[in-house]
Amino acid sequence: MKYCAFLRGVNVKGTNMKMAEVCQVFKDAGMMEVSSILASGNIVFSSDKNAEELKILLEKAMSEHFSYEAFLFIRSQEETELFWNSIPFEKNEGFHIYGFVGMPGVEKVLMEEFQKATQAENEKAEIVNDLFYWQVPKGNTLDSTFGKVLGKKSLKDQMTSRNINTFEKVLNKMG
């Protein structure tokens, strides 16, 4: 089965990794057809194992190899397609749209945080098929109240986010 591993915290705050080296860790852990998309930690691969087994195996391999506490979220090609097909916002040059991949239930936590946050004009969030999506005006992502919430230590092992353009690139790589 084809999967994508979405790694959290890659190439930010001093955790620097070359994607070729990350791919080698995946290959050494028994993954097949391994390739990376962008430098933000998106690894497409094939395996006969299920997502739960893969998460444990690959987090351990990454943690040991790179000497850091690895968090990654495994999604099948079908799940990634659902993510892409469920985007509730229209693409617009003035906005970034992010999708969040994470633990079951994290979408509700994110929506609670979003609703408490001060929002910029036309900043929006929606949950579709248990997936959280966020639209934010370009230039406001890191400065927005909700953007600051995303860096909370309590959420670090719960989710990661990607611009929707990344999901499109992942799906193209999956074929």
Side-chain angles (χ1 to χ4, degrees), residues 25-51:
V25 171
F26 274 59
K27 289 174 188 169
D28 291 347
M31 304 307 112
M32 300 162 287
E33 303 176 82
V34 179
S35 61
S36 65
I37 293 88
L38 304 173
S40 53
N42 312 288
I43 309 298
V44 172
F45 63 96
S46 295
S47 175
D48 295 333
K49 296 184 182 331
N50 69 40

Side-chain angles (χ1 to χ4, degrees), residues 10-161:
V10 172
N11 294 335
V12 292
K13 296 183 182 172
T15 305
N16 296 313
M17 310 175 179
K18 299 279 182 249
M19 289 301 108
E21 192 174 354
V22 172
C23 287
Q24 190 59 53
V25 171
F26 274 59
K27 289 174 188 169
D28 291 347
M31 304 307 112
M32 300 162 287
E33 303 176 82
V34 179
S35 61
S36 65
I37 293 88
L38 304 173
S40 53
N42 312 288
I43 309 298
V44 172
F45 63 96
S46 295
S47 175
D48 295 333
K49 296 184 182 331
N50 69 40
E52 293 79 28
E53 292 174 292
L54 291 167
K55 180 174 175 59
I56 294 165
L57 175 76
L58 293 169
E59 281 182 344
K60 184 176 187 292
M62 290 289 294
S63 294
E64 288 174 359
H65 185 84
F66 290 102
S67 302
Y68 87 117
E69 190 176 10
F71 297 106
L72 52 89
F73 303 94
I74 309 287
R75 294 298 181 264
S76 68
Q77 183 170 354
E78 183 179 296
E79 289 170 315
T80 308
E81 286 169 358
L82 176 66
F83 207 102
W84 174 252
N85 292 325
S86 299
I87 297 167
F89 308 118
E90 294 290 323
K91 274 192 169 186
N92 179 316
E93 286 302 312
F95 294 90
H96 286 298
I97 301 171
Y98 295 94
F100 290 74
V101 179
M103 303 301 282
V106 74
E107 71 281 356
K108 293 175 184 73
V109 173
L110 291 170
M111 185 56 83
E112 287 173 19
E113 293 289 349
F114 180 79
Q115 289 169 340
K116 287 190 270 184
T118 305
Q119 281 122 38
E121 188 176 343
N122 294 313
E123 183 177 357
K124 301 176 189 170
E126 278 191 44
I127 297 173
V128 181
N129 296 321
D130 297 326
L131 302 168
F132 184 85
Y133 297 89
W134 176 42
Q135 174 182 281
V136 61
K138 284 187 177 173
N140 286 5
T141 305
L142 298 175
D143 296 330
S144 75
T145 307
F146 182 67
K148 288 182 170 81
V149 165
L150 299 176
K152 285 173 120 177
K153 282 189 166 69
S154 62
L155 292 173
K156 75 176 183 178
D157 64 343
Q158 297 295 305
M159 58 79 199
T160 189
S161 64

